[in-house]
Amino acid sequence: EDKVVQSPLSLVVHEGDTVTLNCSYEVTNFRSLLWYKQEKKAPTFLFMLTSSGIEKKSGRLSSILDKKELFSILNITATQTGDSAVYLCAVLIQGAQKLVFGQGTRLTINP
Amino acid sequence: SQTIHQWPATLVQPVGSPLSLECTVEGTSNPNLYWYRQAAGRGLQLLFYSVGIGQISSEVPQNLSASRPQDRQFILSSKKLLLSDSGFYLCAWSATTSGTYEQYFGPGTRLTVT
């Protein structure tokens, strides 16, 4: 069975801290890995990673994929209260056109 | 640009009543369409996906069904709701031409079955 596991499930830090969120996966036919941010309603797309070792970056957020060890990390530097959200990791299965989601990491940034 | 709509935004229904949630996409043709459910504090569970009109794949056996009567319309239904059907229902679309398949989500419907 295809599986995506995120850790930690919950994280509370102070504004300005740097955080690292983890996502590991076991799937039959990997195509790519996606990160989403979910605040109150719909998840919004952050990154798609297909190749190992190539960092994707957007402002204070960055992510990298390791296809040998089957995991990805999402880094957020200089966190702000607006970064508080649930961060979802998902794996796209080759040929199936569907995503398998992890359970999410709830990140809380305290001022 | 593409937009995705869902309605209603919130719904409170008694056990045993029927359900119909609607999702429409604008600004794209022949999208892949998806229905997910998110229970409180949990990740997203894929319920159904569709690669074309009338083509529905079911991921989880349950008392829900889906239909795609038009290219950009996706409907989630139930004849008799259960308490366990409560949750946040999200519709998503992905482009079939880009080859990347990242999915974009609608605003969701929060369903409470009482």
Side-chain angles (χ1 to χ4, degrees), chain A residues 9-68:
Chain A
L9 294 181
S10 180
L11 184 59
V12 181
V13 300
H14 290 293
E15 205 167 18
D17 288 352
T18 293
V19 298
T20 298
L21 310 183
N22 304 292
C23 175
S24 63
Y25 60 90
E26 289 179 40
V27 300
T28 49
N29 220 347
F30 175 91
R31 181 184 173 116
S32 54
L33 185 143
L34 292 82
W35 284 97
Y36 287 86
K37 177 182 181 182
Q38 185 177 23
E39 294 177 86
K40 294 195 175 161
K41 289 196 172 180
T44 54
F45 174 74
L46 294 175
F47 298 113
M48 173 181 271
L49 303 152
T50 305
S51 302
S52 262
I54 298 175
E55 185 183 55
K56 291 267 180 111
K57 199 167 169 66
S58 175
R60 296 175 294 101
L61 276 67
S62 63
S63 183
I64 197 159
L65 173 67
D66 185 328
K67 289 167 75 173
K68 184 179 174 188

Side-chain angles (χ1 to χ4, degrees), chain A residues 31 36 38 42 48 97-98, chain B residues 32 34 38 59 99-100 103 106:
Chain A
R31 181 184 173 116
Y36 287 86
Q38 185 177 23
M48 173 181 271
Q97 301 181 28
K98 61 180 184 180
Chain B
N32 290 337
Y34 307 84
Q38 186 175 35
E59 289 295 301
T100 55
Q103 293 179 19

Side-chain angles (χ1 to χ4, degrees), chain B residues 59-73:
Chain B
E59 289 295 301
V60 182
Q62 58 207 320
N63 69 319
L64 298 171
S65 62
S67 62
R68 185 170 177 174
Q70 299 179 48
D71 181 45
R72 289 169 288 176
Q73 183 186 31

Side-chain angles (χ1 to χ4, degrees), chain B residues 2-99:
Chain B
Q2 300 87 6
T3 55
I4 178 169
H5 304 279
Q6 282 187 248
W7 63 90
T10 59
L11 193 57
V12 180
Q13 292 282 97
V15 167
S17 63
L19 173 75
S20 181
L21 303 182
E22 189 163 341
C23 170
T24 57
V25 181
E26 295 176 359
T28 187
S29 295
N30 194 32
N32 290 337
L33 296 172
Y34 307 84
W35 278 113
Y36 290 90
R37 177 169 61 204
Q38 186 175 35
R42 305 282 297 274
L44 275 66
Q45 179 188 35
L46 180 63
L47 302 175
F48 302 94
Y49 70 97
S50 171
V51 299
I53 296 174
Q55 300 178 60
I56 309 294
S57 295
S58 173
E59 289 295 301
V60 182
Q62 58 207 320
N63 69 319
L64 298 171
S65 62
S67 62
R68 185 170 177 174
Q70 299 179 48
D71 181 45
R72 289 169 288 176
Q73 183 186 31
F74 205 23
I75 297 172
L76 183 70
S77 304
S78 173
K79 290 182 180 175
K80 283 187 178 182
L81 284 168
L82 306 173
L83 283 174
S84 58
D85 291 324
S86 292
F88 190 46
Y89 287 82
L90 287 156
C91 180
W93 73 275
S94 67
T96 53
T97 51
S98 67

